[in-house]
Amino acid sequence: MRLLPLFALLLSCSDKPVQTPPPPTGWRPASVEAESQGEGDNFWWRLTSAGNRLLAMTGMGDIWISDAYSSGFRKMEWKWPGTPYSFVAEGDSVWVGTEEPGRVYKCRITNWACLDLKVPDPDSFHVAYVGKFKGQLIVSTGAYKVQSIWRWKEGWNDWAQGFPEDIAFYRTLEIGDTLWAATWSNGLWYRVGSEPAWKRQLSPRLTWVLGPDSAIAPRGLAWHSGALWVAYQTGDVVRMPQAKPPYQDFKNCRSVNGSYGECKKTPINLYTALSYRDRLYVGGYYGAAPYVLDDRTGFLIPTEIAGWCWNDYAQCGGKRTWDLVGLGDTLYSASSRYIMKIPLSEVPSFQPSMMDQFHWSSDTSWRDSVLRRNNPIGW
């Protein structure tokens, strides 16, 4: 039985070139277009950087690498056992985790040669996540109701102490001497490098449901302005000052009898978060384009106003933002249909006119007090 949820089993991307000229300003395509507009059998899914290169992955494991920034994207031939699923890159190297069979490879980008690092798990295990902590490789693998966590330090070392037996990583973030791990369906975990075991962070009180396990699906992690920010699949964006309670839940709109009226909300689902050049971004589904935080007011601004769609909405960047990367003076987004890009100088900033445009209330006392009280549960 496969370890990962069905929606994550994404399919490959086409080689066909982009037919529509990009818009002159704002968001524009940086890659070839996925067939069926990225909604059928094709998704752009994962995105990372190595030096001035971009590396992108599709759901079926095709790996694309640029020459510099977004120029010269090309699909790399994969001839080793296993289908790529996760990767992390640095310099001229990329570490690739695969499924069916589960392997971990260290690959050199320039001559595209890969070495099997022989992770000590059976081939039936899938490598759900590959990341770095203190310059060392961290790998999360698993099969049905069983998982492993390995750390490479002069060989593979078991690093799963204290972690649930049937949960895999979705994303990690290194902050100082601590590694934070967002899991598929068991909340947020952390491990201090000098301590012997993982610990689970207390669940925040999200507004959509009650209960101590309400925050089971964190997806995006970012460190911004002295706080850990977590974007949840539920659409909640939570700020944890110094990564400690009390938490603060950020929203654009207040629900009245289950309705938001014309108020411009944040996405229904969130999959990624990024802090880059002193600005915080989150991305997900409906809306599809990333949102950017205005630190002063606390509103999350939809960047779709910077040309996410063009040609009378016949062309759009995609319906889901899965991943975000900042490189140089540009923000890049893996957004199903294209790898999209926008110069940082063209990312929208808060304007007073947005209050009327998006039907935002100037009274944010509900957000600044009620949603921050007794949070997390049990605190």
Side-chain angles (χ1 to χ4, degrees):
M1 180 177 293
R2 299 173 72 86
L3 170 68
L4 304 175
L6 182 60
F7 74 80
L9 302 181
L10 310 173
L11 300 177
S12 65
C13 189
S14 146
D15 293 353
K16 76 174 185 176
V18 175
Q19 299 296 325
T20 303
T25 60
W27 285 105
R28 63 209 72 175
S31 69
V32 299
E33 180 184 2
E35 289 184 353
S36 303
Q37 301 181 0
E39 286 298 302
D41 294 339
N42 302 278
F43 287 82
W44 285 110
W45 188 40
R46 285 288 178 259
L47 192 61
T48 190
S49 62
N52 67 352
R53 298 176 185 265
L54 285 173
L55 288 82
M57 185 183 291
T58 67
M60 281 298 289
D62 292 331
I63 297 176
W64 293 66
I65 298 177
S66 71
D67 290 331
Y69 301 95
S70 59
S71 66
F73 261 113
R74 63 194 187 280
K75 184 166 69 173
M76 310 304 288
E77 179 186 8
W78 186 260
K79 55 186 178 182
W80 297 274
T83 300
Y85 186 80
S86 178
F87 60 10
V88 63
E90 182 180 351
D92 192 42
S93 297
V94 55
W95 291 261
V96 180
T98 70
E99 55 180 355
E100 297 179 345
R103 303 284 175 82
V104 177
Y105 298 92
K106 181 179 181 180
C107 304
R108 186 170 296 279
I109 296 174
T110 49
N111 63 354
W112 200 233
C114 296
L115 173 67
D116 187 347
L117 297 184
K118 307 291 185 183
V119 64
D121 277 325
D123 287 350
S124 59
F125 277 41
H126 304 306
V127 179
Y129 184 82
V130 177
K132 285 290 193 76
F133 178 57
K134 299 299 182 184
Q136 297 168 355
L137 198 62
I138 301 294
V139 174
S140 171
T141 72
Y144 181 58
K145 292 189 175 182
V146 61
Q147 62 80 37
S148 300
I149 300 173
W150 300 101
R151 181 179 184 181
W152 179 272
K153 187 176 182 180
E154 299 178 354
W156 293 108
N157 295 271
D158 185 356
W159 218 49
Q161 297 84 359
F163 205 78
E165 294 183 353
D166 59 348
I167 300 297
F169 290 175
Y170 183 85
R171 196 184 301 275
T172 65
L173 179 67
E174 179 179 341
I175 302 174
D177 63 349
T178 302
L179 184 68
W180 293 86
T183 66
W184 280 97
S185 58
N186 199 3
L188 185 65
W189 291 72
Y190 66 97
R191 181 162 178 174
V192 179
S194 60
E195 295 184 356
W198 289 89
K199 298 176 182 177
R200 185 178 181 183
Q201 184 78 334
L202 289 171
S203 296
R205 182 189 298 273
L206 303 185
T207 59
W208 70 289
V209 70
L210 298 178
D213 294 322
S214 61
I216 63 171
R219 293 292 178 259
L221 300 174
W223 182 260
H224 179 72
S225 297
L228 174 63
W229 293 74
V230 186
Y232 287 86
Q233 187 172 320
T234 58
D236 289 85
V237 180
V238 176
R239 177 180 182 266
M240 304 181 183
Q242 299 300 316
K244 298 176 182 179
Y247 307 154
Q248 301 165 331
D249 195 351
F250 277 70
K251 289 185 179 296
N252 288 343
C253 307
R254 185 179 188 180
S255 172
V256 178
N257 297 324
S259 173
Y260 293 94
E262 297 181 284
C263 185
K264 185 70 173 180
K265 302 194 298 110
T266 48
I268 290 176
N269 303 120
L270 289 172
Y271 303 122
T272 184
L274 172 72
S275 180
Y276 187 65
R277 299 283 181 91
D278 297 323
R279 301 196 78 179
L280 178 74
Y281 304 89
V282 296
Y285 171 68
Y286 204 78
Y291 283 56
V292 58
L293 175 72
D294 178 66
D295 288 279
R296 185 181 65 84
T297 65
F299 286 107
L300 287 151
I301 302 168
T303 66
E304 65 189 34
I305 61 178
W308 188 258
C309 294
W310 58 99
N311 288 1
D312 296 325
Y313 292 88
Q315 297 281 338
C316 289
K319 291 187 178 179
R320 291 167 180 81
T321 288
W322 292 103
D323 225 346
L324 291 166
V325 166
L327 185 59
D329 62 357
T330 304
L331 177 69
Y332 295 90
S333 169
S335 295
S336 298
R337 187 175 184 177
Y338 297 105
I339 303 297
M340 296 288 286
K341 66 179 180 180
I342 186 172
L344 297 180
S345 61
E346 297 176 17
V347 173
S349 296
F350 179 81
Q351 304 296 327
S353 60
M354 291 178 177
M355 301 301 293
D356 291 332
Q357 178 184 359
F358 299 131
H359 301 277
W360 290 338
S361 172
S362 59
D363 178 9
T364 59
S365 59
W366 58 273
R367 184 185 67 195
D368 299 333
S369 59
V370 175
L371 295 181
R372 303 183 183 190
R373 190 181 305 142
N374 296 328
N375 205 351
I377 295 171
W379 181 78

